[in-house]
Amino acid sequence: MLKGWSLAFLCVLFTLTVVCSQSIEDEFSNPCTNADSCGQCMQISPICAWCGQEGFPRSLKRCDIVQNLEKTCNLTDITNPKSTFKEVKNAAWTSGGLDADPIQIKPQELEFTLRPNEPVNFKLKFRQQENYPVDLYFLLDLSYGMARDKEAQKRLIALGHDIGDKMKIITNNFRLGFGSFVDKLLMPYSAWTDTMLDDRCPKDPCRKPHDFRNEVDLGTDYSLFSTKMQAALESISQSLDDAEGGLDGVIQALDCDRIGWREKSRRIIVYSSNSLFHLAGAGKLGGATKQSNLQCSLDADGFYKDEKIYDYPSVSQVASKLREKNANIIFAVMEDVVNDYRKLSAFLDGSVVGELENNSKNIVELINNKYYELRSRIKFEAKNADFVDVKFKSKCRGNVLKETAMCENLEIKESVEFDVTLTVDKDICKGKSGEVIKEVVLDAVGLNETLVVRLNVTCNCQCEASNEEELNSPKCFNGNGTFQCGVCECNPGRYGRNCECDQTEISSEESLRKCRMDPNNTLTCFGRGDCICGQCECYTLSLNSKLEYSGEFCECNDYSCSFGPNGLCGGKKRGVCNCGKCVCLEGWSGHNCECSTDQSRCVASTGTICNNNGTCNCGKCDCDEGSKWFGPTCEECPNCPTQCSEHFACAECTFHFPGTLTREECDKQCPNVEDVDELKESDGVQKCQGKATSDGCTLYFTYEYMDNNEVLIKVQKTKRCPREAPLAAIIGGTVAGIILIPLLIICLCIFIRNRRDAKEYADFLKDKNKARWESGANPIYKDPKSTFQNPTYKGQGGM
Ligand SMILES: *[C@@H]1O[C@H](CO)[C@@H](O)[C@H](O)[C@H]1NC(C)=O
Ligand SMILES: *[C@@H]1O[C@H](CO)[C@@H](O)[C@H](O)[C@H]1NC(C)=O
Ligand SMILES: *[C@@H]1O[C@H](CO)[C@@H](O)[C@H](O)[C@H]1NC(C)=O
Ligand SMILES: *[C@@H]1O[C@H](CO)[C@@H](O)[C@H](O)[C@H]1NC(C)=O
Ligand SMILES: *[C@@H]1O[C@H](CO)[C@@H](O)[C@H](O)[C@H]1NC(C)=O
Ligand SMILES: *[C@@H]1O[C@H](CO)[C@@H](O)[C@H](O)[C@H]1NC(C)=O
Ligand SMILES: *[C@@H]1O[C@H](CO)[C@@H](O)[C@H](O)[C@H]1NC(C)=O
């Protein structure tokens, strides 16, 4: 029993294995087989390899799944480059001392050789280091509404000390700078006559408005910051509209080297304003028609020179400048405009918005909080990643791995890890050859720290390199092509496996059309041959066979007919196989030409074929269905009464002399009669019985035809004579049979049913007491859904 089960289990396992291994060869799940050259093969998928063996069987695909090729191709001829990985630079984490550059990202440089569509994985670690350098540039709106308040002025002047002290707690590597802005000195944004200015600043003296001015370069002299701030606030200014030119200031502050941003530092602009900002297009109204060039242009006093030439920057221009400079912005703005800045901030990576109170009371706190928000967040961005799919995954500070490029709330000295997956699209190879080199930069937003990933993408095979190919090789039709990786790359105007076809004689489209039996059938030559200049050259049936497919479109297999005992189609003397069907030679017929057409054995004693009651097939009579005739020539008729009664007289006269025949008649008419102990049945022997004329006993006999077509009769020596049956037994039996037995059966049925009902009722009562059915859980209800799992299905597309 156990053996039986394990055998069955083995069978199932085997079937599964066969099914699964076959699916690898399945045309649909094998993406490789469409490639015509080694390079194409490399670009399809990393599971594909190329066989460059000379004389590789035509019927096999040179580009195939590696496991398949290993069975058919000489191992030394298989091209299947493996991806390689090199850590070029992986310096240790360092904190931001005053002299050394900080390192927060590990590793810093990687190099991969890989094929298109081949994903590569690596880990990227980020650690918040202490004393990371911070460059903070304060960009102040000097318009009347913002800076007029005496309280606010005092706070801004004190900012230098306050912020310096606060930041020292966070980093010992802190620089502070300061710039101011109002608006472009152009109508309709700003006033420039004294009357106009007086109108706009009713109480205090106003000075001429300016667009952007760099007041203090980034540095550690915080008192200079305060002095300059005081000077700037002494004469505030005013524009005419309620929006200012602050974004001009942002661009200038970011782009100007003289401001003194350090290469490796967290760059922060604190943008403080109470009004909206002008955007691209607005400048045109005043005559600044050129699109902002995003270039630094400051005069000796730090004023923006080109304010009247270039328009305000657009949001996307600001965003790209921020990215380029890896800078952050803290918008410290007043309540009535805070929502507008939130909308702007949504477009700017590395920006945050904070609400400034009326008299700038909370300015230091705000900078502190927002600095923490920027600092505690790490986000990666892939630059120069066209044709490359980059995926980041991280657990951040939790336990769940999710797809994200950003982690938040990191503490100092805390590290997070990202799983990065890069996949190169094969389009990167378009129009290129050999190895395509791509440098993807994984950039930490707001920090000038990167991981550079150099990808050497294999777009071609080594054997396609110019030093390995054979130009105008004799292997390619008298030098009409280049021989490389085992195949011919045809010169212009030629095509075909060995470049044997001339485009001017028959176009390749025409050629392919001619090789299709049905123009709508996409397979040329049924997939069993090569289309050579419009003609199919059929493959051999199997690898080591000399037999080939045949037919104009290789649609035929001349070796797929059934094999009889004498060979294909009964052997060479009987028939030949043509396109899967036996064509029989003369004298033979049948599926396998196994039948002789000779009908002599079907001739009945009457001289007709099968007694006219059948057909002669393959030298044998098939008697008509439904007719009473049977036998080798359809001459027998067991149910024909005439036959038995015809011979009865002869049978009877042996036993019951005299019967219907006299002794003389008997001897004369019945020459072949025998007495036997037991009648034997066999083909051609007919059983008969009949009632003897004299005593009414039943007589058993058989008759058969002898070779000379005479009849031989055999009679059983014992006969059966009737006895008188007792009447009572007959009547009793009849009554019992008709009435009593059915009655008994009915009673039994009723008894059994009652017993079962009683038991079920008892069970029901028992269950009823026991059951504590939860409401809604009906025990009788069965979910109509059920899940069936297909055991042969494998999620990974057959691999
Ligand atoms: C396989 O390669 C070896 C070495 O190049 C060669 O000797 C052998 O003949 C090759 N076999 C076939 C079947 O091409
Ligand atoms: C980032 O640092 C590199 C040196 O590591 C420097 O060459 C580059 O200019 C810096 N980038 C910016 C935007 O300053
Ligand atoms: C801010 O100042 C304006 C005018 O100076 C005043 O109307 C407003 O109530 C003040 N808001 C707060 C929150 O103090
Ligand atoms: C990748 O390409 C570069 C530039 O050609 C080369 O220096 C480097 O050795 C290549 N790396 C690999 C692993 O082939
Ligand atoms: C190409 O084929 C043509 C036609 O068979 C032949 O005349 C010629 O020599 C072959 N070679 C080159 C290099 O054209
Ligand atoms: C091929 O397809 C077209 C459109 O589906 C149909 O009209 C045409 O009859 C088809 N030809 C054959 C030979 O089946
Ligand atoms: C069948 O055979 C019998 C006896 O030879 C003959 O009489 C009869 O005509 C045959 N039936 C047919 C349909 O020819």
Side-chain angles (χ1 to χ4, degrees):
M1 193 63 193
L2 200 67
K3 232 173 155 183
W5 278 113
S6 54
L7 205 67
F9 179 66
L10 278 181
C11 274
V12 170
L13 213 65
F14 177 74
T15 320
L16 280 182
T17 325
V18 169
V19 168
C20 294
S21 64
Q22 262 175 356
S23 70
I24 290 182
E25 276 138 38
D26 191 344
E27 189 86 20
F28 294 101
S29 61
N30 187 340
C32 309
T33 54
N34 290 326
D36 294 328
S37 72
C38 190
Q40 271 180 29
C41 188
M42 293 304 107
Q43 293 171 27
I44 289 174
S45 161
I47 62 167
C48 303
W50 179 263
C51 176
Q53 186 177 321
E54 274 185 54
F56 190 61
R58 283 193 292 133
S59 56
L60 296 179
K61 300 285 184 191
R62 285 183 183 268
C63 183
D64 206 340
I65 294 169
V66 187
Q67 287 87 341
N68 291 353
L69 273 193
E70 279 168 355
K71 290 180 216 146
T72 50
C73 185
N74 211 336
L75 288 188
T76 54
D77 290 325
I78 295 182
T79 304
N80 182 28
K82 290 267 171 290
S83 65
T84 65
F85 157 74
K86 202 164 91 192
E87 218 169 57
V88 181
K89 194 169 164 206
N90 189 11
W93 277 310
T94 54
S95 54
L98 286 171
D99 38 359
D101 272 349
I103 296 178
Q104 298 193 126
I105 292 179
K106 260 166 75 80
Q108 296 88 37
E109 234 176 296
L110 295 177
E111 189 175 282
F112 289 94
T113 17
L114 77 177
R115 286 161 57 174
N117 294 327
E118 180 175 18
V120 289
N121 293 294
F122 55 88
K123 295 219 186 297
L124 164 57
K125 289 182 195 142
F126 177 84
R127 185 175 191 259
Q128 284 278 3
Q129 295 294 66
E130 48 195 339
N131 289 329
Y132 199 79
V134 174
D135 289 340
L136 193 143
Y137 191 78
F138 204 78
L139 194 55
L140 181 65
D141 180 355
L142 267 193
S143 68
Y144 183 74
M146 176 71 193
R148 160 198 60 162
D149 189 332
K150 291 278 174 260
E151 273 297 302
Q153 288 191 357
K154 254 194 250 163
R155 274 204 181 84
L156 291 170
I157 293 164
L159 192 64
H161 308 292
D162 291 358
I163 193 119
D165 290 345
K166 279 266 182 184
M167 290 304 278
K168 272 207 183 98
I169 302 169
I170 303 166
T171 173
N172 64 11
N173 203 341
F174 173 64
R175 293 185 181 195
L176 189 61
F178 160 47
S180 64
F181 65 88
V182 182
D183 208 342
K184 286 189 195 293
L185 191 54
L186 285 175
M187 278 303 263
Y189 317 118
S190 332
W192 70 86
T193 65
D194 288 346
T195 351
M196 280 169 158
L197 287 174
D198 285 345
D199 277 351
R200 302 288 296 171
C201 316
K203 287 190 196 139
D204 307 277
C206 273
R207 64 171 154 114
K208 205 167 87 174
H210 62 275
D211 193 10
F212 166 75
R213 184 183 185 187
N214 174 35
E215 311 261 1
V216 184
D217 294 339
L218 287 164
T220 47
D221 187 353
Y222 310 139
S223 57
L224 179 64
F225 177 92
S226 296
T227 324
K228 288 277 187 170
M229 179 66 87
Q230 191 163 16
L233 288 172
E234 260 163 19
S235 56
I236 52 176
S237 191
Q238 180 61 302
S239 65
L240 288 178
D241 56 0
D242 60 357
E244 314 292 3
L247 296 185
D248 263 349
V250 170
I251 298 292
Q252 290 301 309
L254 285 175
D255 198 62
C256 290
D257 291 337
R258 71 179 254 193
I259 299 226
W261 300 106
R262 283 172 289 176
E263 275 183 1
K264 291 273 191 289
S265 68
R266 193 175 276 281
R267 304 170 169 188
I268 299 173
I269 290 178
V270 179
Y271 180 108
S272 171
S273 177
N274 69 333
S275 21
L276 295 171
F277 43 89
H278 281 301
L279 278 174
K284 295 206 163 73
L285 210 59
T289 49
K290 281 194 180 166
Q291 192 189 14
S292 173
N293 65 349
L294 308 179
Q295 298 292 312
C296 174
S297 157
L298 297 185
D299 67 11
D301 290 331
F303 285 105
Y304 178 33
K305 278 190 300 194
D306 294 337
E307 51 165 327
K308 294 182 183 164
I309 303 173
Y310 293 107
D311 194 0
Y312 299 101
S314 68
V315 174
S316 65
Q317 280 181 318
V318 175
S320 77
K321 199 73 191 175
L322 271 179
R323 271 190 79 173
E324 179 195 330
K325 296 294 177 181
N326 280 310
N328 307 272
I329 294 192
I330 297 173
F331 290 107
V333 292
M334 293 213 181
E335 185 191 7
D336 41 348
V337 290
V338 73
N339 282 331
D340 298 282
Y341 279 94
R342 288 216 166 96
K343 282 175 199 156
L344 174 65
S345 169
F347 293 101
L348 307 178
D349 253 346
S351 70
V352 288
V353 181
E355 191 178 325
L356 200 57
E357 282 169 20
N358 248 3
N359 43 21
S360 304
K361 203 161 60 188
N362 65 335
I363 183 95
V364 175
E365 218 177 316
L366 189 152
I367 293 172
N368 248 315
N369 291 347
K370 295 297 162 182
Y371 170 74
Y372 174 80
E373 199 176 304
L374 287 174
R375 202 256 320 133
S376 65
R377 169 164 98 188
I378 178 67
K379 181 176 175 191
F380 282 96
E381 228 167 36
K383 285 185 180 166
N384 187 33
D386 41 333
F387 300 118
V388 183
D389 177 46
V390 184
K391 283 212 168 65
F392 290 94
K393 276 189 192 157
S394 180
K395 287 183 183 168
C396 287
R397 306 176 71 211
N399 294 322
V400 188
L401 193 67
K402 55 179 193 270
E403 201 164 298
T404 178
M406 180 163 89
C407 292
E408 285 179 310
N409 298 324
L410 296 184
E411 298 299 335
I412 299 285
K413 293 188 185 173
E414 191 174 22
S415 64
V416 283
E417 194 175 81
F418 289 87
D419 288 336
V420 189
T421 308
L422 299 186
T423 317
V424 181
D425 193 273
K426 73 170 195 291
D427 285 348
I428 204 173
C429 295
K430 257 188 196 148
K432 311 236 176 77
S433 66
E435 226 168 44
V436 172
I437 290 164
K438 177 99 188 158
E439 261 189 21
V440 177
V441 177
L442 305 182
D443 189 31
V445 172
L447 295 172
N448 185 12
E449 287 197 65
T450 55
L451 162 56
V452 178
V453 185
R454 192 162 32 253
L455 303 172
N456 293 5
V457 185
T458 311
C459 287
N460 285 101
C461 300
Q462 188 59 39
C463 55
E464 284 168 323
S466 52
N467 57 343
E468 294 213 14
E469 63 189 11
E470 293 173 36
L471 281 172
N472 297 334
S473 162
K475 289 166 192 157
C476 302
F477 202 74
N478 307 325
N480 276 295
T482 303
F483 188 77
Q484 56 187 18
C485 304
V487 293
C488 287
E489 178 97 338
C490 301
N491 293 342
R494 319 251 353 158
Y495 66 96
R497 195 177 64 237
N498 290 324
C499 310
E500 56 276 80
C501 311
D502 192 335
Q503 202 58 268
T504 55
E505 280 164 23
I506 176 171
S507 73
S508 47
E509 294 80 30
E510 173 74 1
S511 158
L512 288 178
R513 204 184 54 73
K514 278 189 154 181
C515 287
R516 290 189 181 120
M517 191 182 214
D518 168 3
N520 294 345
N521 185 346
T522 48
L523 279 183
T524 52
C525 304
F526 270 73
R528 297 165 173 172
D530 289 331
C531 182
I532 307 295
C533 320
Q535 277 182 341
C536 287
E537 258 181 38
C538 302
Y539 298 146
T540 54
L541 290 185
S542 65
L543 259 195
N544 300 316
S545 155
K546 286 213 163 56
L547 311 176
E548 284 180 355
Y549 287 102
S550 65
E552 196 185 342
F553 306 101
C554 306
E555 73 277 26
C556 292
N557 177 353
D558 285 349
Y559 309 94
S560 66
C561 295
S562 48
F563 270 78
N566 299 320
L568 198 65
C569 293
K572 285 215 164 78
K573 286 187 178 154
R574 295 191 179 181
V576 289
C577 182
N578 184 0
C579 215
K581 259 186 156 170
C582 285
V583 176
C584 300
L585 301 179
E586 215 176 298
W588 296 97
S589 70
H591 191 60
N592 296 331
C593 305
E594 71 280 27
C595 298
S596 163
T597 46
D598 179 15
Q599 297 201 328
S600 59
R601 285 167 61 203
C602 294
V603 180
S605 55
T606 51
T608 57
I609 300 285
C610 298
N611 192 23
N612 282 343
N613 280 286
T615 45
C616 183
N617 283 334
C618 202
K620 252 180 86 183
C621 281
D622 283 337
C623 301
D624 291 340
E625 198 144 336
S627 84
K628 53 198 180 179
W629 303 100
F630 82 111
T633 53
C634 305
E635 284 177 284
E636 315 264 329
C637 176
N639 301 322
C640 297
T642 49
Q643 295 288 85
C644 275
S645 55
E646 227 170 66
H647 301 300
F648 183 72
C650 281
E652 194 184 26
C653 71
T654 55
F655 260 96
H656 280 276
F657 182 78
T660 37
L661 300 180
T662 63
R663 181 91 189 123
E664 290 76 37
E665 280 171 331
C666 190
D667 287 344
K668 216 168 96 201
Q669 289 178 18
C670 314
N672 309 310
V673 182
E674 292 171 8
D675 285 344
V676 292
D677 291 327
E678 203 182 339
L679 293 176
K680 286 197 183 97
E681 271 185 87
S682 64
D683 262 0
V685 176
Q686 278 309 306
K687 268 183 127 174
C688 299
Q689 61 183 56
K691 221 161 235 166
T693 341
S694 52
D695 55 5
C697 291
T698 308
L699 195 69
Y700 300 92
F701 66 96
T702 62
Y703 70 90
E704 63 204 272
Y705 294 93
M706 295 191 298
D707 287 344
N708 57 5
N709 269 356
E710 277 186 33
V711 176
L712 169 67
I713 294 171
K714 292 182 179 169
V715 186
Q716 189 177 295
K717 282 180 182 157
T718 54
K719 52 185 179 178
R720 216 176 74 199
C721 297
R723 269 185 300 144
E724 287 198 15
L727 193 69
I730 290 172
I731 291 172
T734 313
V735 169
I738 292 173
I739 300 168
L740 288 182
I741 292 174
L743 211 61
L744 205 69
I745 290 171
I746 288 167
C747 289
L748 203 68
C749 287
I750 289 170
F751 174 72
I752 290 171
R753 230 203 29 217
N754 281 347
R755 279 299 302 267
R756 203 190 299 144
D757 282 354
K759 182 172 182 306
E760 274 177 11
Y761 182 65
D763 285 351
F764 168 72
L765 288 181
K766 218 158 66 187
D767 280 352
K768 208 174 91 178
N769 293 336
K770 205 166 51 182
R772 291 284 179 274
W773 296 340
E774 282 179 35
S775 57
N778 181 347
I780 302 165
Y781 173 75
K782 261 190 101 186
D783 195 338
K785 275 182 301 174
S786 38
T787 308
F788 293 96
Q789 210 130 31
N790 182 347
T792 59
Y793 171 75
K794 292 182 91 187
Q796 299 277 321
M799 277 309 305

